[in-house]
Amino acid sequence: MLPLPAAIQPFVDQIRAAAADQTPLQIRGGGSKDFYGCLQPAGLLDTRSLSGVVDYAPSELVVTVATGTPLSTLEALLAEQGQCLPFEPPHYQWSTRVAGAPASTATVGGLVASGLAGPARASVGSVRDYVLGLKLINGRGEYLTFGGQVMKNVAGYDVSRLMAGAMGTLGLMTEVSLKVLPFAPAEATLVFPLGQAAALEQLHRWAGEPLPLNASCWVHDGSAGAAGQDLLFVRLRGAVAAVEAACQRMLREVPGERMDPVQAAADWDRCRDQTLPFFTDSAATGHALWRLSVAQTAPVLDLPWAQLIEWHGGVRWLWAPLQAGPQLQTVARAAGGNAMVFVAGAADVTGAKCQFRSDVPGQAALLKRLKAAFDPAGIFNAGRLYPDF
C-alpha cells in the first residue's frame, strides 16, 4: 500500500466505517452522469475536494490529475499547450435538464468511471486506451496504485484500465494519469445530402481507404425545409496536405460542401454533448433514448424510429418506448451488437432499471469475482451497473 496523504485520510475513514457497517456509498463528482446507470439510495462520497493537476509533462504527452478536477479545467490546461484528450469525453448535462435540478459539472473521475467517449471514438480509441495509471481506495480502505505514467508500464493484469467503465463499483479513484495528444494540424468537416443507406455505404468505402477520417454523423435534419433533409457529416483531421487532398477527393466522388470551421466545431461539440435537436427536441416525448452498438458495417436497421448514426455506423441512437427493448435487442444482436437504454426519458431522467446487461456467458460470474476482490462488503455504487453488482 501507498503512504497515506492527509487529504486522503477522510475518504479512507469513511470507506472503512461504511464497510464495517455495510452501509452503501454513492461515489459522485459533479453529477453529470447521474442519469447513467441505476442510482440506489446511499451515503454520498463526494470527490470534488480531490481537485488539481498533480503533474503535467507536455513534452511527454502525459498528465496526472486528481479525479474530482472539473473536466473543463483539465481541457483548458491542455489547450494552452496545444494538446487535448483525443477521445473527446462528453460534458453531458442530462441530469440538469429536469426543472429545479442543480447545475452539474463533469469531472475527470467521471469521465474514466463512465468510459464514455465522443464523436472521434471510432478513429482514435476509447477512454481505457488513454489511461496509463491511477490511485485507488478499495473497499477495505486500502490505498493502492496501479500502472504509471508511460505506455509500457504493466506487468501482469492492467488493473488501471479495468476502472474505465466500471462506474465506480470497484473503488474510489483519487488520481489518474492520462495520455494526451497534440491538436491535429488541420481539420475540415464535409456535409453530404445522402440517405441512410447511401451514407453507410459511402462511409464503409471511405473507411477502407487511406483517408484521415476522424468522426462522422448521419441525421435527418428537420430544419432543412418542410420535409427536412438527410445529411452525412464527416470530419477529417490530420496533416494539412492529407486533409486538403481528402476534401478534394471526397467532394469529387460525392456532391457536397465544406462547412464553415467555426460552425462545424460548435456542431461537433453539440453532437458530443447530445444537445443537437435530435436529442433535445425528443427528450420530452416520454420515450427513452436508446443506444445500439453494432458492427460498423451493419446495414440500415429495420426499425420504425428516426436515428442518429455515429462512429462510422457503429452507434445508432434512437428514441423509442422502454417497452421496445426486446425488439431492439433482437435487431441489434442480428447486427453484431447490443441495445441499451441510455437515458430513460422525461418520466425517469435519472436512469432506468437494467440499463446495462450481462448476457455473455461467464461474464456475470467474472464481474462478481472482481467485485468481491475489490469491494468485498459491496458498498461502492451498489446496483449502478447491474441489480446485484
Side-chain angles (χ1 to χ4, degrees), residues 248-314:
Q248 296 176 24
R249 173 180 173 178
M250 293 167 71
L251 290 173
R252 283 197 305 267
E253 294 178 357
V254 182
E257 62 182 21
R258 188 166 180 167
M259 287 188 66
D260 173 76
V262 175
Q263 181 62 53
D267 286 348
W268 285 113
D269 285 348
R270 295 171 70 196
C271 181
R272 176 199 68 192
D273 293 333
Q274 295 187 341
T275 56
L276 291 171
F278 174 86
F279 297 103
T280 58
D281 292 354
S282 299
T285 62
H287 285 177
L289 176 61
W290 288 84
R291 169 177 165 161
L292 276 62
S293 299
V294 299
Q296 287 187 358
T297 54
V300 175
L301 303 182
D302 184 16
L303 294 169
W305 301 284
Q307 299 173 40
L308 182 146
I309 301 176
E310 286 192 90
W311 298 4
H312 310 333

Side-chain angles (χ1 to χ4, degrees), residues 4 164 180 230 236 254 265 350:
L4 199 60
V180 300
D230 293 339
L236 306 167
V254 182
T350 59

Side-chain angles (χ1 to χ4, degrees), residues 72 121 152-153 178 208 237 261 271 377 384:
S72 57
R121 161 68 176 85
K152 296 182 179 180
N153 57 25
L178 297 168
R237 280 180 176 171
C271 181
R384 190 72 186 262

Side-chain angles (χ1 to χ4, degrees), residues 82-284:
Q83 297 178 348
C84 66
L85 300 170
F87 52 87
E88 296 180 305
H91 295 241
Y92 291 136
Q93 296 292 317
W94 279 108
S95 302
T96 64
R97 297 180 194 180
V98 180
S104 60
T105 303
T107 62
V108 174
L111 89 83
V112 176
S114 67
L116 295 171
R121 161 68 176 85
S123 300
V124 304
S126 65
V127 175
R128 69 181 301 276
D129 297 318
Y130 293 83
V131 176
L132 301 177
L134 55 82
K135 293 179 180 178
L136 171 87
I137 306 173
N138 67 10
R140 297 181 179 87
E142 299 169 335
Y143 189 43
L144 309 173
T145 183
F146 301 102
Q149 294 183 319
V150 296
M151 288 300 295
K152 296 182 179 180
N153 57 25
V154 176
Y157 296 110
D158 195 350
V159 176
S160 56
R161 295 184 182 183
L162 181 65
M163 300 300 156
M167 296 299 292
T169 57
L170 300 178
L172 170 64
M173 293 179 289
T174 62
E175 65 180 59
V176 60
S177 295
L178 297 168
K179 179 176 70 172
V180 300
L181 291 179
F183 285 119
E187 177 180 316
T189 295
L190 308 179
V191 56
F192 305 93
L194 292 173
Q196 186 180 151
L200 289 172
E201 181 180 353
Q202 194 62 53
L203 280 172
H204 301 158
R205 184 177 296 114
W206 283 332
E209 299 175 358
L211 297 170
L213 300 182
N214 177 262
S216 63
C217 175
W218 179 91
V219 68
H220 179 79
D221 183 6
S223 65
Q229 187 178 24
D230 293 339
L231 296 174
L232 171 65
F233 299 85
V234 179
R235 185 172 66 191
L236 306 167
R237 280 180 176 171
V240 175
V243 169
E244 292 303 318
C247 287
Q248 296 176 24
R249 173 180 173 178
M250 293 167 71
L251 290 173
R252 283 197 305 267
E253 294 178 357
V254 182
E257 62 182 21
R258 188 166 180 167
M259 287 188 66
D260 173 76
V262 175
Q263 181 62 53
D267 286 348
W268 285 113
D269 285 348
R270 295 171 70 196
C271 181
R272 176 199 68 192
D273 293 333
Q274 295 187 341
T275 56
L276 291 171
F278 174 86
F279 297 103
T280 58
D281 292 354
S282 299

